[in-house]
Amino acid sequence: MKINKKLIKELVDNLEEFKLTELEYSEKDTKIKVSRQSKVSQNISPEITIEKNNKKIETITGTEIKSPIIGTAYLAPEPGAKKFVETGKKIKKGDTVMIVEAMKTMNHVPSPKDGVVKSVNVEDGQPVEYGQTLVVID
């Protein structure tokens, strides 16, 4: 089978142009799949409302730091160690806020900016989904 480099290049360009993480192309018995690992995504100034029994308890605004992958969230580098972040703690851009482990690979999740931790939205050892809000900073 001859590899069509032009087609692959076009698929990769489409990934970038349409901000996709994965693209698949099939024709007869040929199947091409291109993908890229996405970076941590965040929304600037979202508003999160926490409710209990239909009563508004708290509204949090700030920058959401979301999980870049599906995996298990760890709040500290090892069991019993000091947590990376806690509510009220000041952090700097690039500081690790959490580790998300997937397939025995530890993925450090960095802070996208300087700020103060408003909330930590996951428990240590909790399974997380892609795009799930892990931490909110302001």
Side-chain angles (χ1 to χ4, degrees), residues 6 60 105:
K6 184 177 180 180
I60 300 171
T105 301

Side-chain angles (χ1 to χ4, degrees), residues 31-47:
K31 185 176 180 180
I32 300 172
K33 181 177 176 181
V34 292
S35 63
R36 64 182 165 108
Q37 183 177 5
S38 64
K39 294 181 180 176
V40 174
S41 62
Q42 64 269 345
N43 294 331
I44 306 302
S45 298
E47 186 173 286

Side-chain angles (χ1 to χ4, degrees), residues 45-106:
S45 298
E47 186 173 286
I48 299 170
T49 302
I50 300 171
E51 293 184 6
K52 186 173 184 178
N53 298 328
N54 295 325
K55 292 182 181 176
K56 187 174 168 183
I57 296 175
E58 184 179 4
T59 300
I60 300 171
T61 59
T63 301
E64 289 181 275
I65 302 175
K66 297 185 177 191
S67 178
I69 56 173
I70 295 172
T72 303
Y74 294 105
L75 304 178
E78 60 185 41
K82 184 180 173 193
K83 293 180 181 180
F84 290 113
V85 295
E86 293 184 50
T87 303
K89 181 180 176 185
K90 289 183 181 181
I91 59 173
K92 296 185 183 227
K93 181 178 180 174
D95 286 354
T96 298
V97 297
M98 195 167 298
I99 293 174
V100 178
E101 181 261 329
M103 297 176 60
K104 306 291 182 200
T105 301
M106 301 300 175

